[in-house]
Amino acid sequence: MGLLDNKVAIVTGAASGIGKAAAELFRREGAIVVATDAMEADGVSIVDAGSESEVEALVERALAEHGGIDIVFANAGISGGMAGIFEQSADDWQEILRVNLIGPFLAIKYAAPHMKARGGGSIVCTASVAGLRAGAGGAAYSASKAGLISLVKVAATQLAGANVRVNAICPGLIETGMTAPMYEWARSTGRESKIGRLNPMKRGGQPDEIAAVALFLASDAASYVNGQAIAVDGGLSASHPFSIQDYGRTSA
């Protein structure tokens, strides 16, 4: 038996990276997956996760085709690059917030009432360590992910008694299409060993490692986990910046 047998799951941003890994894992665990993305891919419906009409239609389609919704993994997001506050326009911010923050809001708004009527469910949102502290992303991206973490907490509270859990995953550096330019540059310049050097694991992460946490949160194994933002970052957010020499040793 799988952890998600006979569950209906919507996964956004499922054409690549974390979303693709999660959609594949959810299916292996028995879920019926409605996979969407803004980009065309095999087995993935094209949906703009930041469009109210398209998200509402997506939820209605899942209901019509599968009879209900048990899980939403609101994973779709864009980075906007590493531009600073003084290098971005209001239009830049509006688009990043539209996809990264309004998108999950729409998923919660339209899916949660049907989950409640069905007896409960789980909503998982992809936030970021950039939403926890500065230095892990561009200004607008970081603000959007901080807002998403707050949204998850507010939604979990406002859904009190509905048996609908809402949680966020805060990935650290993960090798995806979004981070591909950095990985490619590091490899082409012989600096691959420096990827992830700031976290205690001394490496970047893989989409499957985030998908595994999404599976846990989506499943009944996380039945008492609600309103949380869980960092999956190799320990990056566990400390303030420091030099290992400050501890007087370089190994255990």
Side-chain angles (χ1 to χ4, degrees):
M1 292 180 62
L3 288 174
L4 305 180
D5 281 346
N6 302 315
K7 301 289 188 182
V8 178
I10 292 174
V11 179
T12 68
S16 63
I18 293 168
K20 181 179 180 181
E24 293 173 351
L25 179 58
F26 286 11
R27 287 192 182 101
R28 291 199 299 272
E29 291 293 332
I32 300 165
V33 177
V34 180
T36 76
D37 201 287
M39 300 184 298
E40 187 174 356
D42 290 341
V44 176
S45 301
I46 297 178
V47 173
D48 180 350
S51 164
E52 184 162 18
S53 62
E54 293 191 31
V55 172
E56 183 178 15
L58 168 63
V59 169
E60 293 301 322
R61 177 165 66 87
L63 293 170
E65 294 179 357
H66 305 294
I69 300 169
D70 302 289
I71 298 159
V72 173
F73 184 22
N75 168 72
I78 57 177
S79 73
M82 291 296 291
I85 291 173
F86 305 105
E87 299 166 326
Q88 289 179 313
S89 68
D91 288 343
D92 294 331
W93 276 66
Q94 287 172 354
E95 179 62 9
I96 293 167
L97 291 170
R98 185 185 74 83
V99 177
N100 293 1
L101 181 54
I102 294 176
F105 152 70
L106 294 171
I108 295 168
K109 175 183 177 180
Y110 286 104
H114 298 289
M115 291 178 166
K116 178 181 178 181
R118 194 171 168 85
S122 174
I123 299 173
V124 183
C125 301
T126 300
S128 170
V129 292
L132 299 173
R133 292 184 177 85
Y141 178 83
S142 299
S144 72
K145 296 302 187 178
L148 179 51
I149 292 167
S150 180
L151 171 65
V152 161
K153 296 176 183 295
V154 172
T157 302
Q158 293 195 358
L159 285 164
N163 196 33
V164 177
R165 298 178 291 106
V166 189
N167 293 288
I169 301 173
C170 299
L173 178 61
I174 310 297
E175 186 171 9
T176 66
M178 189 180 292
T179 60
M182 185 199 68
Y183 272 84
E184 291 168 2
W185 175 84
R187 286 167 178 153
S188 68
T189 58
R191 293 178 171 87
E192 187 174 1
S193 64
K194 294 186 177 181
I195 293 175
R197 69 188 185 280
L198 296 179
N199 74 60
M201 296 295 291
K202 297 293 185 181
R203 65 174 177 85
Q206 294 297 315
D208 288 349
E209 294 178 294
I210 306 301
V213 180
L215 172 64
F216 166 69
L217 292 173
S219 76
D220 292 339
S223 58
Y224 205 51
V225 182
N226 195 19
Q228 301 304 305
I230 300 175
V232 187
D233 63 358
L236 177 66
S237 59
S239 72
H240 294 292
F242 68 91
S243 168
I244 195 68
Q245 283 75 26
D246 294 341
Y247 288 83
R249 56 192 175 98
T250 58
S251 62

